[in-house]
Amino acid sequence: MKIQLIRHAALWLEYGGVTFLVDPMLSAQGVNPPIMNSGDERRNPLVPLPGPVEQWLKPDAVLVTHLHQDHWDTAAVDQLSHELPVLCQEGDGEKISAQGMLSVTEIKDSSSASFGAVTLTRTDGRHGTGEIGERMGKVSGFIFQAEGEPVLYLAGDTIWCREAEQVLADHRPEVIILNAGGARFAAGGHITMNEQDVVDVCHAAPEASVIAVHMDAINHCRVTRELLKLRLEQEGLLDRVAVPLDGEWIYKQDQSV
C-alpha cells in the first residue's frame, strides 16, 4: 500500500494492485468562492495543487465519498476521463452519471463491493451534529481490504461519533485516514474531526497508525497542521499520527507511519 496526499481530502491510493483517486478536488487556487457563512472570506482552494494535475488523471478508479465541492469538483469532472470507473455512496450515482461519467457504481449502505482484488465496505459517519449535521447530508467512509494489505479505514467527512467508534470495533483497521481540520461555520459545532476527535480515535484504536488530512486548503477548516501537531505533542501522540504536507507520500507497505 502507498498513499499520497494530493491536497485537502484528495488522495492517490495504491492498494491491492489497484490505484484509486479519492475525493478529487482539482480546482486551481482561488477559483472558487469562500464557503458561505464561515466568517472567513478567503477564496478556495487556499493553496495550489502540489504538482501538475496530469499525474493524477489516470487512476484505475475514482472513489467519491460524497458530493460536496471540496471532494468532487467541476475541475475533476472536466479533466478526468468520463470512462473511468467511479465508486460512490448510495444515492450519489445519478448525479455523477448526469455529469457525464459513464461507469458509476454505488456502494450500498452497510454493504461491500469489489474492484479488482480489493473489497470496499461502506461505513456511516456524522458530518456534524444537530441541525447543521442534518443539513450537511449523508456522508460515507470506506473500509479497504485485500490479501497482503493492512485493513484501511478511510473515515470520510465525519466527526468522532458512535458510528465511527463502531467501525473501529467491527473492523479493527490497521491504518486510519481522518479528515481533520475542524471545519465549521460561523455558528454551530465542527463538522469534521478536530484535535480532540483525532486524540479520541488514537485512544480508541491504540494499535492503528493514523493519518490526518483535510487541512490548510479550504477556508472553513479551523484546525491547521500546526495546531494539530501541537495538540498531538501535548498528548504524546505525535509518533502515532502522520500529518502530511500536500504532495507527500505518507504510508508504504514496508514501513510504519
Side-chain angles (χ1 to χ4, degrees):
M1 177 173 67
K2 296 181 180 180
I3 304 171
Q4 183 189 29
L5 171 62
I6 300 173
R7 179 184 59 186
H8 195 53
L11 303 169
W12 184 265
L13 170 63
E14 299 176 11
Y15 187 95
V18 178
T19 299
F20 296 92
L21 176 62
V22 178
D23 282 351
M25 175 184 65
L26 303 181
S27 294
Q29 181 180 7
V31 303
N32 300 321
I35 300 295
M36 294 179 61
N37 301 317
S38 64
D40 185 320
E41 295 305 311
R42 292 177 294 169
R43 293 183 64 85
N44 294 311
L46 303 177
V47 295
L49 288 168
V53 69
E54 289 77 15
Q55 64 190 293
W56 300 298
L57 296 183
K58 295 182 179 179
D60 297 319
V62 180
L63 175 64
V64 179
T65 62
H66 66 300
L67 293 181
H68 289 167
Q69 188 179 32
D70 60 327
H71 294 254
W72 176 246
D73 63 0
T74 55
V77 175
D78 291 344
Q79 295 180 82
L80 291 166
S81 168
H82 285 196
E83 296 182 356
L84 278 172
V86 179
L87 310 172
C88 66
Q89 66 180 0
E90 187 172 12
D92 287 351
E94 183 176 353
K95 183 172 181 180
I96 295 173
S97 294
Q99 293 173 311
M101 305 307 290
L102 301 175
S103 178
V104 182
T105 300
E106 292 188 349
I107 301 179
K108 306 296 184 180
D109 293 356
S110 301
S111 67
S112 300
S114 295
F115 191 92
V118 181
T119 299
L120 296 98
T121 304
R122 183 196 165 271
T123 63
D124 285 320
R126 295 187 192 180
H127 203 353
T129 57
E131 180 181 352
I132 290 177
E134 291 294 325
R135 290 172 59 189
M136 295 305 291
K138 178 179 177 178
V139 293
S140 296
F142 293 91
I143 292 287
F144 291 73
Q145 293 173 289
E147 185 176 355
E149 295 279 23
V151 178
L152 170 64
Y153 174 32
L154 176 74
D157 267 11
T158 184
I159 58 174
W160 177 238
C161 57
R162 176 179 52 81
E163 290 86 349
E165 187 173 13
Q166 191 64 50
V167 173
L168 299 184
D170 289 346
H171 295 279
R172 301 181 64 84
E174 297 161 77
V175 181
I176 303 170
I177 302 175
L178 301 178
N179 288 354
R184 63 190 308 150
F185 299 99
H190 59 290
I191 60 173
T192 64
M193 292 199 182
N194 62 11
E195 307 102 307
Q196 184 60 52
D197 290 343
V198 175
V199 170
D200 289 342
V201 171
C202 289
H203 290 160
E207 302 302 318
S209 297
V210 177
I211 300 166
V213 300
H214 200 276
M215 288 171 283
D216 297 325
I218 297 294
N219 73 304
H220 71 328
C221 291
R222 310 306 176 105
V223 178
T224 64
R225 291 180 175 99
E226 286 188 14
L227 288 173
L228 178 58
K229 287 196 288 187
L230 178 61
R231 178 63 185 279
L232 293 171
E233 185 175 20
Q234 292 169 347
E235 298 286 341
L237 294 170
L238 198 54
D239 62 339
R240 287 265 325 275
V241 182
V243 185
L245 298 173
D246 294 349
E248 186 174 347
W249 289 91
I250 46 181
Y251 189 90
K252 295 187 178 181
Q253 177 69 30
D254 59 356
Q255 64 185 45
S256 61
V257 173

